[in-house]
Amino acid sequence: MTAVAEFSELWVTGDDPAAFEAEFQARMDAAYAAEPGLIAWLAHRDLKAADHLLIYRLFADAAVAARHGAEITTLMVPPPAARTVATSDGPVAIFVQCRVDDPAAFDTSMTSHVGRTLTNEPGCLAFGWHRRPGTPAVQLYELYASREALSEHRKSEHLALFRGESEHLMLEARIHYAALAIHTPLDRLLAWFGNAA
C-alpha cells in the first residue's frame, strides 16, 4: 500500500479559540468516521507559538487523498513489522521540511534511519517521510509518545549517524516541535506504523 500525506499550517485567531478547536475536532471526527481510507488527521500546537497549528493528514492512497482535496506527497518507507507501543499523555511531534541535493543518497540514509528508529525506539509512534513528486522537497513527520521519548531519540547514536550521513545533503531545513493537540483517534495511525494501542 502506498500512503500519501498532506502537510499544512493554521494560525488560530479570533476571540474564541476553544470554539474553533471544538469545530475542528468535530470535522476531524466526521471525516474519520466516514472514510476508512483516512489513516489520521492530527493537529499539533507549535511549542514556540501556541496559536500556530501544524497539520498532518495521512491517507491510504492517492484516490482517498484526492477525495479530500489534499496535496499529495508520497510516503517513502513502508510500515515496519508489528510491535507494541503504549501511548502516554502528551505525544509530541517533529515536522521537518527540507530540500535535498542528492535524492538517491538521502533516500538511502533516511530509509536506514527510519528503520533504526522504529526498531530501537518503542517511544516512536510514527515516522513517515514524504517526497513531493518532481521536486527536491522532503517532509518528515515523527510522533513520539512523550517529551522523554523525543529526548531519547535526540540522544540516540542512530540519529548522530544519520546526521553525519545526511546533513551535507540538505540544502535547507525548517524544523518545528509541536505537541499533539486536536486529532482523530490514533488507532489507524498506530496500526499503519506497526504499533498496537
Side-chain angles (χ1 to χ4, degrees):
M1 181 174 4
T2 301
V4 297
E6 177 195 45
F7 294 81
S8 58
E9 300 178 68
L10 290 174
W11 291 91
V12 180
T13 59
D15 295 333
D16 195 353
F20 167 82
E21 290 188 10
E23 175 65 23
F24 198 53
Q25 181 71 65
R27 288 178 187 216
M28 289 176 158
D29 292 343
Y32 193 75
E35 181 59 69
L38 173 62
I39 297 170
W41 188 354
L42 311 159
H44 308 74
R45 194 171 318 286
D46 190 323
L47 294 179
K48 292 185 178 178
D51 57 348
H52 183 208
L53 295 177
L54 299 141
I55 313 299
Y56 179 70
R57 292 196 300 173
L58 186 63
F59 303 95
D61 57 40
V64 175
R67 284 195 297 273
H68 287 270
E71 180 177 335
I72 296 172
T73 60
T74 303
L75 183 65
M76 301 299 292
V77 177
R83 63 193 174 98
T84 300
V85 174
T87 59
S88 68
D89 296 330
V92 294
I94 303 172
F95 288 81
V96 181
Q97 297 170 317
C98 61
R99 289 186 313 118
V100 297
D101 183 40
D102 182 346
F106 182 83
D107 291 356
T108 299
S109 182
M110 180 56 76
T111 299
S112 296
H113 176 57
V114 170
R116 288 189 298 263
T117 300
L118 290 170
T119 299
N120 296 307
E121 295 185 39
C124 182
L125 303 178
F127 194 153
W129 65 290
H130 309 269
R131 181 176 308 288
R132 288 189 184 209
T135 73
V138 174
Q139 294 179 291
L140 309 178
Y141 174 75
E142 303 170 49
L143 183 64
Y144 293 88
S146 64
R147 289 183 188 210
E148 181 181 331
L150 172 58
S151 178
E152 289 301 314
H153 172 70
R154 293 177 73 186
K155 294 186 284 188
S156 70
E157 290 180 16
H158 51 269
L159 178 58
L161 175 64
F162 170 71
R163 285 180 174 156
E165 292 173 345
S166 66
E167 277 186 334
H168 68 284
L169 301 172
M170 291 187 199
L171 301 173
E172 64 179 331
R174 282 183 51 212
I175 301 172
H176 290 283
Y177 295 91
L180 186 60
I182 311 164
H183 59 89
T184 55
L186 296 178
D187 57 341
R188 292 182 198 162
L189 180 72
L190 295 177
W192 174 259
F193 285 98
N195 304 315

